[in-house]
Amino acid sequence: MSKKVLILPGDGIGPEISQEVNKVLVQVNQQYSLDIEFEQGLVGGAAIDQAGSAFPEQTWQQCQAADAILLACVGGPKWDSLPPAERPEIGGLLQIRSRLELFGNLRPAILYPQLADASSLKPELVSGLDILIVRELTGGIYFGQPRGIRVNEDGVREGFNTYIYNENEIRRIGKVAFETAMKRGKKLCSVDKANVLEVTMLWREIIEDMSKDYPEVELSHMYVDNAAMQLIRQPKQFDVIVTGNMFGDILSDAAAMLTGSIGMLPSASLDITGKGMYEPCHGSAPDIAGQGIANPLAMILSAAMMLRHSLNMAPVADKIEAAVEAVLDQGLRTADIYSQGSVKVSTQQMGDAVVAALKK
Ligand code: IPM
Ligand code: MG
């Protein structure tokens, strides 16, 4: 039976990297007779410009009809002066995540040996690095109500957000984390700020309670400030990290740099049934958009995750990942992962090289 994939190129570097992902998917579709149907949709600033809102009704329909969604990135200075709820990030990306209930965000940070030089840490600290950050994606301070900017009694403006998790939300993401840990190194570190924030005191209590059901998993807890430090001090101590929405956002960027570049990091955002949206961890990088220098590999690797997790095509995902390794072996690097002695390539050349490696 044919599978439907919805591609949402979004903004900034999104369209350029999506084009390369598209090439890769067209290639595997043909090469392995996958019978995948592709469709494109509008989200973010592009959707505001063309359809009047960051997450138009038509895109919502397309999302529901799709077996999996591949999203590039959204946002840019052009839309930064809109009211918060209408902006590409809140009105587009957060809306999709929330309406599709994609609460489980898996962000693997793996160091490709070929890129050890590109890491900001010494090679011995990062060689063999393989961390998985499980980030809660549809709750916490990103979504808590009330939120806003108001004028207080003294006539002074104040901005406010609400950091809230209920125990069901914590259990739901905790389950993903424990189960993922079971399939990996059986080590789970839950990151919170339980020395200060009640919401994470509850978080810690629930995760601790859940650990009784997973006696094989070695559970530890860490405050987020320490976790940030440990990620840079000795990143290989981690296997799986589970944390809330905002801490996960921050720690996954830090973890990205350990692997050389955020341009290499894919992610999967899954609902309770495992249906998902796949997105690179990076943003829309408006400063380099349109120059043909963005790294398409995070999104190509996100497509591989999609084939594996949502489309039941793990062997093809393996092929794409092997093709990415092959181009790295050839010394091809986009600007973000370039180091002396390697060959600097454009976005398009990188996509072409992955396709060529697949054909071999
Ligand atoms: C991410 C991004 C988004 C987030 C932005 C673009 C809203 O930084 O996916 O990590 O904060 O979740
Ligand atoms: Mg982020």
Side-chain angles (χ1 to χ4, degrees), residues 24 27-28 31-32 112 114 297 300-301 316-330 332 350-360:
V24 169
Q27 176 61 33
V28 289
Q31 193 169 344
Y32 303 106
Y112 287 88
Q114 301 90 334
L297 293 180
I300 290 173
L301 292 167
V316 185
D318 292 342
K319 297 280 185 206
I320 293 177
E321 285 162 359
V324 167
E325 291 241 26
V327 301
L328 294 176
D329 281 336
Q330 292 159 29
L332 306 185
M350 188 57 110
D352 289 340
V354 174
V355 170
L358 279 165
K359 285 184 182 161
K360 282 211 182 109

Side-chain angles (χ1 to χ4, degrees), residues 74-310:
V74 302
K78 183 174 176 195
W79 306 282
D80 279 349
S81 50
L82 289 173
E86 291 171 26
R87 288 185 203 164
E89 293 86 350
I90 302 180
L93 182 57
L94 265 54
Q95 277 300 312
I96 293 202
R97 288 174 178 171
S98 169
R99 288 182 71 183
L100 292 170
E101 289 191 71
L102 305 171
F103 69 94
N105 186 213
L106 311 182
R107 299 192 155 188
I110 295 167
L111 182 85
Y112 287 88
Q114 301 90 334
L115 294 183
D117 285 348
S119 171
S120 19
L121 294 193
K122 298 186 206 93
E124 64 269 26
L125 285 179
V126 289
S127 79
L129 184 84
D130 181 356
I131 300 178
L132 183 78
I133 298 185
V134 178
R135 170 188 177 194
E136 200 290 328
L137 202 60
T138 53
I141 198 164
Y142 272 50
F143 291 94
Q145 293 291 346
R147 64 187 293 160
I149 299 174
R150 65 189 168 202
V151 180
N152 74 11
E153 291 143 20
D154 303 321
V156 178
R157 289 202 306 153
E158 56 188 17
F160 57 100
N161 291 88
T162 303
Y163 190 178
I164 183 164
Y165 272 118
N166 69 42
E167 47 187 330
N168 298 335
E169 289 173 303
I170 302 168
R171 279 188 196 281
R172 188 166 73 161
I173 193 70
K175 183 161 187 268
V176 172
F178 277 107
E179 279 172 9
T180 311
M182 283 298 288
K183 291 188 210 134
R184 294 176 39 110
K186 298 198 169 69
K187 265 176 72 180
L188 177 62
C189 178
S190 172
V191 171
D192 60 40
K193 188 70 185 171
N195 49 347
V196 179
L197 303 173
E198 283 83 351
V199 44
T200 69
M201 293 176 198
L202 180 68
W203 175 286
R204 187 177 283 220
E205 187 190 313
I206 303 277
I207 298 287
E208 188 61 43
D209 181 52
M210 290 184 79
S211 74
K212 289 186 220 124
D213 298 333
Y214 301 90
E216 283 176 60
V217 176
E218 182 194 318
L219 174 68
S220 61
H221 302 276
M222 213 179 259
Y223 298 140
V224 63
D225 49 350
N226 185 28
M229 183 173 76
Q230 295 300 334
L231 264 179
I232 292 157
R233 193 181 77 91
Q234 215 183 69
K236 282 191 270 181
Q237 69 184 282
F238 296 107
D239 174 22
V240 180
I241 292 176
V242 64
T243 189
N245 208 339
M246 183 168 63
F247 297 162
D249 179 45
I250 299 167
L251 294 181
S252 59
D253 269 29
M257 249 1 259
L258 305 177
T259 71
S261 165
I262 196 164
M264 294 297 300
L265 243 71
S267 90
S269 309
L270 306 174
D271 74 6
I272 198 94
T273 69
K275 179 174 164 178
M277 178 163 88
Y278 296 80
E279 19 171 350
C281 291
H282 60 69
S284 56
D287 52 324
I288 60 161
Q291 297 175 30
I293 59 172
N295 187 347
L297 293 180
M299 192 171 174
I300 290 173
L301 292 167
S302 300
M305 282 187 97
M306 171 183 82
L307 294 169
R308 178 176 295 116
H309 291 282
S310 284

